[in-house]
Amino acid sequence: MTLLKSLNPKLLLILFGLLITNTGSFMILPFLSLYLNHMNLPATTIGLVLMVNMICQRGLTFFGGILNDRFGEKKLLIIGMSIRLTGYILYSFASGLQLIFLASAFVGLGGALFAPGLMAMIAKLAGAFKPQVFALRNTVINIGSSLGPILGGLLYQYSVFWVFLLTSLAHFIFLVLIILNGPNDIIAKRKIHVIASFRIILKNKTVLLLALMNAIFWFLYSQFNLSIPLYMKIFFNQPSLTGLVFTINGVFVIFLQYVIVKLAFQRCKNQTILISGFLFMGIAYFTLGLIPHLSSVFLFVLLFSMSEVLVFPTIDNLVSDLADEALLSTYYGFVDIGWAIGATLGNLLGGIFIGFAQNHHLFVIIWIGYGCLSILALPLIFLMVSLNRIASKRRTQAKGEI
């Protein structure tokens, strides 16, 4: 409560908006495939619809970040939220395949336009409370992702129209709040040309490494949604316990995220927290590989959740610390490319690996391999810290010469 009283009211408005819009979005996500299937669409077409959404959102986030830095976060938030709202409304009334694809593209594009600027806006408004606010943001998102499917499941039994209606209403409420009382654009004094933005990002090896680490983490994180449920069914023949695994993760993140991150940032540096997060992830997968017992899955989810609460806010905090002031949204958009690549490869290769493990009874190799991948990220963290120190010394020398 003390933190909430200290925060800028505009920031509280954004966190409230994230809560209701994420709850709305997760009311739809678990049931979208079912909805499209009820429209007699084949599985391949449903996959294409979902892929269009992924490409538009994750593939264009970097460009959304550039637009935010050029024209202002509030403008892009209003435009992006309006486009996403239009997409959900189109879903409600879509009767043909063309409108369905258009709705999917609008929902994804809207997110790509406002997401990086929203992160930059949070970082700028949070001030000295950045780590805690990023943890609070993740907690809010997890509350939405937990409540959404429950509400969506209840409404879906009556009519999918109500699911889309309430999701659209949530986005409309946030849009109106931003228009009437949202934070003003916080644009840097100097504007950088689009081509120059690319060059600055690509020259910043520290941020390139951060994007790579983000990709590695999302590759490993995606296995929680893909491989773990299949492992519960194939290896233990306990698919009914999958819901309990996800519940433990959700409860852990919602109730412990803020407390753990607050303590961690009070006592440790960014790199120490990031190293700890990847170590917890590595140990989690080693546990699955070395202890072929059902209890190992529950130990895994606790270690995995600990990794999650440490890594996500730390990466967000590092982006804001490393970014050029005039390119904060662009930096967030670029690091999100790591999310897109990691999650895509995680789902693609994860399915192949789990099929191989099932056919050859070699789950231990898969889990040990994932654990090793997490540990291999540690040298990248040390390299990132070294490069950042070198860059800081050069900036200090340059200022001294001036």
Side-chain angles (χ1 to χ4, degrees):
M1 288 300 294
T2 305
L3 174 66
L4 294 179
K5 291 178 181 178
S6 305
L7 295 181
N8 187 315
K10 308 287 186 182
L11 183 54
L12 293 176
L13 185 149
I14 290 174
L15 292 173
F16 172 73
L18 283 173
L19 175 63
I20 60 173
T21 54
N22 274 278
T23 301
S25 294
F26 279 93
M27 284 172 60
I28 288 176
L29 283 174
F31 307 102
L32 186 56
S33 296
L34 290 175
Y35 169 66
L36 296 174
N37 182 256
H38 288 163
M39 297 180 70
N40 297 318
L41 295 179
T44 52
T45 303
I46 294 173
L48 286 173
V49 171
L50 299 178
M51 186 179 72
V52 165
N53 177 276
M54 175 67 75
I55 290 173
C56 288
Q57 178 152 350
R58 299 301 170 202
L60 299 177
T61 304
F62 181 38
F63 300 100
I66 292 173
L67 291 174
N68 274 272
D69 286 326
R70 291 287 292 173
F71 303 108
E73 297 98 345
K74 183 176 181 179
K75 294 185 184 70
L76 268 295
L77 178 54
I78 292 171
I79 294 169
M81 193 62 64
S82 299
I83 292 173
R84 173 165 276 197
L85 172 60
T86 303
Y88 283 128
I89 293 172
L90 282 175
Y91 265 133
S92 305
F93 299 100
S95 56
L97 195 55
Q98 289 180 334
L99 276 181
I100 290 172
F101 274 111
L102 188 62
S104 182
F106 273 31
V107 170
L109 178 60
L113 290 177
F114 73 72
L118 196 59
M119 284 298 299
M121 199 179 280
I122 290 171
K124 291 173 181 178
L125 292 171
F129 299 104
K130 271 193 303 182
Q132 296 96 314
V133 171
F134 286 134
L136 197 58
R137 169 189 170 272
N138 288 343
T139 301
V140 163
I141 289 173
N142 276 282
I143 292 173
S145 66
S146 299
L147 288 177
I150 297 172
L151 295 174
L154 292 173
L155 291 170
Y156 191 82
Q157 297 177 36
Y158 297 98
S159 172
V160 71
F161 175 79
W162 288 104
V163 180
F164 284 115
L165 179 64
L166 281 184
T167 299
S168 301
L169 181 61
H171 284 76
F172 179 74
I173 290 171
F174 188 27
L175 177 61
V176 171
L177 289 175
I178 289 295
I179 292 172
L180 296 179
N181 200 35
N184 294 322
D185 293 328
I186 313 169
I187 308 174
K189 293 180 180 178
R190 62 192 181 98
K191 290 188 178 182
I192 299 175
H193 193 271
V194 174
I195 302 299
S197 301
F198 277 101
R199 289 174 180 169
I200 292 171
I201 291 282
L202 294 177
K203 284 181 180 179
N204 193 328
K205 295 183 177 64
T206 307
V207 173
L208 292 176
L209 285 171
L210 189 59
L212 178 58
M213 281 185 284
N214 200 27
I216 292 172
F217 192 79
W218 272 101
F219 180 94
L220 297 168
Y221 184 85
S222 64
Q223 305 311 314
F224 184 66
N225 296 310
L226 173 68
S227 301
I228 297 302
L230 293 174
Y231 183 56
M232 295 287 286
K233 179 181 180 181
I234 297 166
F235 194 82
F236 296 112
N237 194 28
Q238 294 281 358
S240 59
L241 290 179
T242 302
L244 178 59
V245 169
F246 282 93
T247 300
I248 293 171
N249 172 254
V251 170
F252 188 103
V253 174
I254 289 170
F255 290 101
L256 296 178
Q257 166 99 63
Y258 174 74
V259 176
I260 292 172
V261 169
K262 182 181 179 181
L263 291 173
F265 276 95
Q266 283 176 346
R267 300 178 181 182
C268 305
K269 295 180 179 179
N270 281 317
Q271 59 265 30
T272 305
I273 300 171
L274 202 57
I275 288 168
S276 301
F278 275 96
L279 278 174
F280 274 113
M281 182 66 82
I283 295 169
Y285 278 110
F286 287 142
T287 300
L288 280 184
L290 298 175
I291 308 174
H293 190 272
L294 187 60
S295 60
S296 68
V297 178
F298 294 99
L299 180 55
F300 164 86
V301 73
L302 292 175
L303 293 166
F304 177 93
S305 301
M306 188 66 180
S307 173
E308 178 184 349
V309 302
L310 291 174
V311 172
F312 283 146
T314 306
I315 288 179
D316 291 338
N317 196 48
L318 275 168
V319 174
S320 65
D321 287 346
L322 297 172
D324 185 303
E325 181 190 6
L327 291 173
L328 185 53
S329 297
T330 304
Y331 272 65
Y332 274 114
F334 181 79
V335 173
D336 257 7
I337 293 176
W339 177 354
I341 294 172
T344 301
L345 289 178
N347 286 309
L348 178 64
L349 297 179
I352 295 172
F353 292 156
I354 205 76
F356 171 83
Q358 180 181 3
N359 293 332
H360 297 86
H361 307 287
L362 291 174
F363 281 100
V364 61
I365 291 180
I366 302 301
W367 304 136
I368 295 296
Y370 289 153
C372 289
L373 178 61
S374 184
I375 300 303
L376 285 173
L378 300 185
L380 296 178
I381 299 174
F382 289 111
L383 179 58
M384 182 186 72
V385 172
S386 299
L387 289 173
N388 191 41
R389 284 175 182 167
I390 293 170
S392 296
K393 286 181 181 179
R394 287 177 178 172
R395 285 194 295 268
T396 302
Q397 290 172 356
K399 288 179 181 178
E401 291 172 1
I402 292 170

